[in-house]
């Protein structure tokens, strides 16, 4: 798992696009796929994802935008991933981004958590400063879900892993949708895992993470397990394609589990992509 992708866990918004939908959808949101239709459970029937269905391997894709070879990505859009000077470069079989990794000074120093706080900007990687001692006590405080934070600290939601806020004076926990210091994620997988994302992979989620933990590629040993009551879709756009397999909504994969003791379950819930959960 790439560190820069893991870093985005601190900058996540909601996993769902509608109340009641409990399917992880951060990958669709990051790729700016468009929801189509609606179901009684609050989920869309499917997503329209041109970067997948009409992918051009001679171009790069990130955050809903298409980049030509040698075209740079604005630093402001990748700074949250501890990256800079990203540009699209030709590669085989899929064009990919090349970026410079940013090492923050705090990565290499011990930190006095009892007496100091690091302060951050909403979409930054490195801290903007450190406040300690008596000056720390003068900082404004924020309360979020029974946790107390000081001005400049990142605040995380227990039940909404995909949104984070920066504590500021006057923070109102009931108005986070309008707060410019509260942001939703842009996952970094398009920057660092283009072969998996656009080479037929599907996202693998962990229960406590917003962004996909990794992307799983098809294996010859994978087989389809029909879901209870699932019926073949009359519209192929309402099916999930995975390697040589076609799955209807509710179908899952029978896969060989790894030896690490973690169970992986993969199913077709909201086409066109399946998703997996790592428990």
């Amino acid at each position: 798992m790439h560190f820069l992708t893991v870093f985005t866990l601190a900058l996540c918004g909601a996993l769902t696009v509608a109340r009641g939908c409990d399917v992880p959808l951060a990958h669709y949101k990051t790729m700016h796929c468009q929801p189509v239709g609606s179901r009684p459970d609050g989920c869309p029937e499917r997503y329209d994802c041109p970067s997948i269905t009409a992918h051009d391997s001679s171009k790069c894709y990130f955050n809903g935008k298409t980049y030509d070879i040698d075209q740079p990505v604005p630093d402001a859009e990748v700074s949250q991933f501890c990256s800079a000077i990203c540009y699209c470069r030709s590669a085989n079989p899929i064009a990919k981004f090349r970026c410079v990794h940013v090492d923050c000074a705090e990565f290499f120093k011990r930190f006095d958590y009892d007496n100091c706080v690091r302060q951050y900007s909403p979409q930054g990687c490195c801290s903007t400063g450190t406040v300690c001692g008596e000056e720390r006590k003068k900082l404004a405080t924020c309360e979020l879900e029974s946790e107390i934070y000081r001005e400049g600290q990142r605040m995380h939601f227990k039940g909404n892993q995909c949104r984070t806020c920066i504590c500021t004076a006057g923070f109102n926990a009931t108005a986070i949708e309008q707060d410019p210091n509260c942001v939703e994620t842009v996952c970094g997988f398009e920057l660092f895992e283009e072969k998996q994302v656009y080479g037929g992979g599907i996202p693998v989620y962990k229960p406590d993470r917003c962004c996909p933990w990794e992307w799983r590629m098809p294996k010859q040993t994978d087989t389809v397990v029909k879901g209870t009551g699932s019926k073949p879709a009359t519209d192929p756009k309402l099916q999930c394609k995975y390697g040589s397999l076609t799955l209807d909504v509710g179908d899952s994969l029978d896969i060989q589990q790894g030896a690490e003791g973690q169970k992986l379950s993969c199913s077709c819930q909201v086409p066109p992509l399946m998703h997996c959960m790592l428990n």
Side-chain angles (χ1 to χ4, degrees), residues 202 216-219 222-226 242 245 247 250-257 264-268 274-276:
I202 53 176
R216 184 182 190 275
M217 302 301 291
K219 298 183 180 181
D222 294 338
T223 57
V224 177
V225 178
K226 297 300 294 182
Y242 187 47
L245 303 177
L247 295 88
D251 292 348
S252 60
L253 287 183
D254 182 7
I255 60 179
Q256 294 182 355
Q257 299 296 334
L264 189 67
S265 58
C266 305
S267 60
C268 175
M274 299 177 58
H275 79 275
C276 302

Side-chain angles (χ1 to χ4, degrees), residues 68-93:
D68 295 321
I69 301 300
D70 294 330
Q71 184 177 356
V73 182
D75 280 349
E77 296 189 21
V78 297
S79 61
Q80 61 187 297
F81 308 110
C82 299
S83 296
I85 318 177
C86 292
Y87 68 96
C88 178
R89 72 179 183 88
S90 178
N92 186 23

Side-chain angles (χ1 to χ4, degrees), residues 6-279:
V6 176
F7 178 79
T8 60
L9 66 91
L11 296 166
C12 291
L15 286 179
T16 61
V17 295
R19 185 179 301 276
C21 183
D22 61 357
V23 178
L25 302 173
H27 54 290
Y28 287 138
K29 186 171 184 179
T30 289
M31 292 187 283
H32 285 240
C33 301
Q34 296 300 310
V36 178
S38 61
R39 304 190 314 217
D41 63 0
C43 296
E45 290 185 334
R46 65 177 180 87
Y47 275 84
D48 183 16
C49 299
S51 63
I52 295 176
T53 56
H55 188 83
D56 185 342
S57 295
S58 66
K59 299 181 183 297
C60 299
Y61 298 80
F62 174 64
N63 195 20
K65 299 177 183 177
T66 304
Y67 291 83
D68 295 321
I69 301 300
D70 294 330
Q71 184 177 356
V73 182
D75 280 349
E77 296 189 21
V78 297
S79 61
Q80 61 187 297
F81 308 110
C82 299
S83 296
I85 318 177
C86 292
Y87 68 96
C88 178
R89 72 179 183 88
S90 178
N92 186 23
I94 299 173
K96 62 186 297 181
F97 288 105
R98 173 169 286 179
C99 303
V100 172
H101 175 59
V102 177
D103 284 324
C104 301
E106 60 257 36
F107 295 168
F108 307 99
K109 297 180 180 179
R110 291 181 178 272
F111 191 71
D112 185 357
Y113 289 96
D114 292 330
N115 298 301
C116 302
V117 295
R118 288 194 182 110
Q119 297 182 306
Y120 293 88
S121 61
Q123 294 184 329
C125 165
C126 304
S127 62
T128 57
T130 301
V131 182
C132 300
E134 293 300 316
E135 293 302 313
R136 173 181 179 271
K137 296 178 181 178
K138 297 177 184 178
L139 295 175
T141 60
C142 305
E143 182 175 354
L144 181 66
E145 297 180 339
S146 301
E147 295 287 339
I148 302 298
Y149 300 86
R150 292 192 179 272
E151 188 174 357
Q153 284 189 296
R154 287 178 175 141
M155 301 186 293
H156 308 296
F157 294 80
K158 297 175 183 177
N160 189 355
Q161 298 91 347
C162 290
R163 175 174 284 271
T164 195
C165 295
I166 303 296
C167 176
T168 55
F171 172 74
N172 183 353
T174 64
I176 59 173
E177 295 297 331
Q178 295 77 39
D179 192 330
N181 292 294
C182 294
V183 295
E184 293 189 4
T185 190
V186 173
C187 299
F189 53 76
E190 291 177 297
L191 289 176
F192 313 116
E193 299 173 281
E194 75 293 329
K195 287 184 180 179
Q196 292 79 13
V197 176
Y198 293 116
I202 53 176
V204 178
Y205 284 90
K206 282 189 171 183
D208 59 345
R209 304 294 191 196
C210 167
C211 296
W213 179 252
E214 61 186 358
W215 288 72
R216 184 182 190 275
M217 302 301 291
K219 298 183 180 181
Q220 291 184 346
T221 54
D222 294 338
T223 57
V224 177
V225 178
K226 297 300 294 182
T228 303
S230 66
K231 299 179 181 179
T234 56
D235 183 353
K237 291 183 178 180
L238 296 177
Q239 295 176 313
C240 298
K241 310 292 184 181
Y242 187 47
S244 62
L245 303 177
T246 298
L247 295 88
D248 294 304
V249 173
D251 292 348
S252 60
L253 287 183
D254 182 7
I255 60 179
Q256 294 182 355
Q257 299 296 334
E260 296 81 8
Q262 293 178 309
K263 184 177 181 181
L264 189 67
S265 58
C266 305
S267 60
C268 175
Q269 297 295 328
V270 180
L273 293 179
M274 299 177 58
H275 79 275
C276 302
M277 292 299 302
L278 186 60
N279 300 313

